């Protein structure tokens, strides 16, 4: 199904929705462009979007160059200094809530596009859309509750602290949860009164453009939310080094996170928040309910095909139950349905791209060579599409690359511990610190281990249970700042102190 670019709206088809309108342009608005309309890139360049299930080209979309980033930024600037500044918090909230409603109304469409473009199971993608709508609505609720305060310092002054938006925010998102990340970024930024230029990942531009059409339908003024498709090294780099972007928020690899921080430092010292990689420990004590623990461990690593920043990829099991655990876990993993994202029973679809597929298969070969044992999986599934069998490695040592580096695929390692102290030591033996989990029935163990783990989120007797109400982000090299909850608003607010001298007594 190859579409040649012509119209900025093309017809695509998914098994779930049948034919639908897929925008393929960039969404930004500027005096020389029709407001809130999809437009072509200035250079007229396009790039192909691949279906990871079939490896076929779905269509092409317009690619943003540095010049397009400039145009989008000036549209966002104009809106920020103009109509958006005088839009009431109540109205900002109303628009976000309307957008959330539109996401829900278009749930099947948005989920289908995610399944088509990213390869995630349609049933799982619906969960993403529902969580994304909740996130947008939650921040809609916050818009008119962002309040400053009065601080008494002495009788001669009156002091108040105001919370102001930062300005134009650049947002760079990854391909693993294309629309969910769209909502996590846009919700708090807009609630706080900023305008945004958001770049989707080059692997998955389609969902962000369908959601952009909903931005227009919700009634956002032109220039407030600008969505562009393009590559990291071009459009992404232009955002992070832009002199008129006041803040950049990024989710992706730790490597690129460092590049973005450097670009911010080397340009206008824009504020930076980063949500990066992880190698999260999932610790199972001998007193845990073993069936439950195995279900959560399985979900912890194989959900979204292992393409989660918080994936529970290092499983650490008490020696007394280790053999039983491995036996039961490998039976469980082998039962996961891997296949067509649009099939009802599918849990795991293909990896997102050839590049990611090759990286993961490279890690599997590396693990075998280093002497680890493949308990199950370890191979490609089928001969078309980027499918990889759920894979478990045992007999690993702490220095192996498969134990230390983020694989970002359906691959985990299982290590052994004997004491609580040792479990904590192994759990913290990583440069990352995004998430962790503990499985135990003992309240002391649960709390002591949670307190000792250096991670932004610790789950007890569960895994991957995020909520838009709870902050999420990394310790150590997993990031800077927090997303979700009230904490995310802080990323998009700057504090202004106003101190007023009272009376007219002579100074000095
Ligand atoms: P990436 O970090 O290159 O891509 C993420 C986003 O950053 C994309 O929108 C990309 O266009 C943009 N980007 C890339 N280079 C940039 C640059 N120089 N300046 C500004 N923006 C740039 O990640 P990639 O290559 O897709 O995946 C590589 C690895 O990164 C994965 O195997 C995984 O380990 C990790 N990753 C982590 C994610 C997370 O949720 N924390 C999400 C995606 C990838
Ligand atoms: Mg794709």
């Amino acid at each position: 199904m190859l579409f040649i670019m012509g119209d900025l709206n093309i017809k695509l088809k998914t098994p779930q929705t049948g034919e639908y309108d897929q925008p393929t342009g960039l969404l930004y608005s500027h005096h020389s462009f029709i407001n809130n309309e999809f437009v072509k890139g200035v250079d007229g360049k396009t790039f192909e979007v691949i279906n990871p299930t079939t490896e076929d080209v779905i269509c092409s979309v317009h690619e943003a160059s540095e010049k397009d980033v400039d145009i989008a930024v000036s549209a966002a600037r104009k809106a920020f200094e103009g109509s958006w500044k005088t839009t009431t918090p109540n109205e900002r909230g109303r628009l976000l809530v309307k957008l959330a409603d539109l996401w829900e109304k278009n749930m099947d469409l948005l989920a289908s596009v995610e399944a088509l473009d990213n390869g995630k199971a349609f049933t799982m993608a619906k969960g993403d859309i529902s969580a994304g709508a909740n996130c947008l609505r939650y921040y809609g609720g916050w818009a008119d509750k962002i309040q400053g305060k009065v601080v008494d310092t002495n009788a001669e002054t009156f002091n108040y602290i105001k919370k102001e938006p930062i300005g134009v925010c650049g947002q760079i998102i990854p391909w693993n949860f294309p629309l969910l990340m769209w909502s996590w970024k846009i919700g708090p930024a807009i609630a706080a009164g900023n305008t945004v230029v958001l770049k989707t990942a080059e692997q998955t531009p389609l969902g962000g453009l369908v959601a952009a059409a909903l931005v227009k339908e919700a009634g956002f003024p032109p220039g407030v939310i600008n969505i562009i498709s393009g590559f990291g090294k071009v459009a992404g780099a232009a955002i992070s080094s832009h002199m008129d972007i006041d803040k950049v928020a990024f989710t992706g690899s730790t490597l690129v996170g460092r590049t973005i921080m450097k670009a911010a430092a080397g340009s206008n010292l824009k504020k930076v928040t980063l949500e990066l990689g992880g190698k999260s420990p999932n610790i199972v004590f001998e007193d845990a309910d073993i069936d439950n623990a195995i279900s959560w461990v399985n979900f912890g690593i194989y959900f979204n095909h292992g393409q989660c920043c918080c994936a529970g990829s290092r499983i650490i099991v008490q020696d007394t139950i280790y053999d039983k655990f491995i036996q039961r876990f490998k039976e469980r993993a082998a039962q996961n349905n891997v296949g067509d994202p649009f099939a009802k029973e599918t849990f795991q679809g293909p990896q997102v791209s050839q590049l990611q597929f090759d990286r993961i298969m490279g890690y599997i070969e590396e693990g075998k060579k280093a002497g680890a044992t493949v308990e199950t999986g370890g191979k490609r599934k089928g001969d078309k599409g980027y499918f990889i069998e759920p894979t478990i490695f045992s007999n690993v040592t702490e220095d192996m690359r498969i134990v230390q580096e983020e694989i970002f695929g359906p691959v985990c390692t299982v290590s052994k511990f004997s004491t609580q102290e040792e479990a904590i030591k192994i759990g913290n033996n990583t440069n990352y610190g995004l998430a962790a989990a503990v499985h135990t029935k003992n309240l002391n163990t649960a709390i002591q281990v949670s307190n000792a783990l250096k991670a932004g989120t610790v789950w007890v007797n569960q895994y991957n249970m995020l909520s838009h109400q709870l902050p999420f982000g990394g310790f150590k090299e997993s990031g800077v700042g927090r997303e979700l909850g009230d904490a995310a608003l802080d990323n998009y607010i700057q504090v202004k102190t106003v101190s007023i001298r009272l009376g007219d007594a002579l100074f000095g």
Side-chain angles (χ1 to χ4, degrees), residues 172-177 181 199-203 230-240 250-257 259-260 275-278 307-310 352 355-356 359-360 363 406-408 432 434 478:
I172 301 172
I173 61 170
W175 43 261
N176 52 341
F177 293 90
M181 293 304 106
K199 187 191 86 60
T200 53
E202 54 269 39
Q203 297 83 352
F231 290 85
K233 287 210 164 93
V234 182
I239 288 174
S240 47
F250 169 77
T251 299
S253 61
T254 297
L255 187 73
V256 172
T259 311
I260 287 178
E275 205 255 274
L276 309 174
Q307 304 168 141
C308 292
C309 45
C310 56
V352 77
L355 183 64
Q356 286 303 117
R359 278 179 181 156
I360 297 160
Y363 273 113
E406 182 172 55
I407 299 175
F408 227 61
Y432 292 115
L434 192 58
S478 286

Side-chain angles (χ1 to χ4, degrees), residues 22-28 38-39 41 45-47 49 60-66 68-69 72 117 197-210 212 226-232 234-236 239:
Q22 172 65 54
T24 61
L26 314 173
L27 183 87
Y28 54 64
F38 289 100
V39 295
K45 270 171 88 177
T46 62
F47 63 96
V49 184
S60 293
V61 297
H62 280 275
E63 181 192 335
S65 66
E66 288 97 339
D68 294 298
V69 170
D117 195 6
V197 175
L198 179 144
K199 187 191 86 60
T200 53
E202 54 269 39
Q203 297 83 352
T204 54
L206 299 184
L209 292 170
V210 176
N226 303 276
I227 307 295
I228 59 177
S229 318
F231 290 85
V234 182
I239 288 174

Side-chain angles (χ1 to χ4, degrees), residues 3 82 123 129 169 187 202 258 296 305 387 390 411 458:
F3 286 85
T123 49
I129 306 310
C169 301
E202 54 269 39
R258 288 182 206 280
W296 286 112
H305 331 165
F387 294 93
V411 182
V458 183

Side-chain angles (χ1 to χ4, degrees), residues 338 348-349 351 357 360-365 368 374-383 385-393 410-411:
V338 183
Q348 181 186 320
Q351 306 310 125
F357 176 88
I360 297 160
M361 293 309 289
Y363 273 113
I364 291 175
E365 286 317 306
K368 287 183 192 162
V374 177
E375 293 287 349
T376 185
K379 293 190 299 292
R380 167 175 213 157
K381 180 153 187 184
D383 49 13
Y386 311 124
F387 294 93
I388 298 178
E389 293 175 345
T391 300
I392 302 172
F393 276 109
V411 182

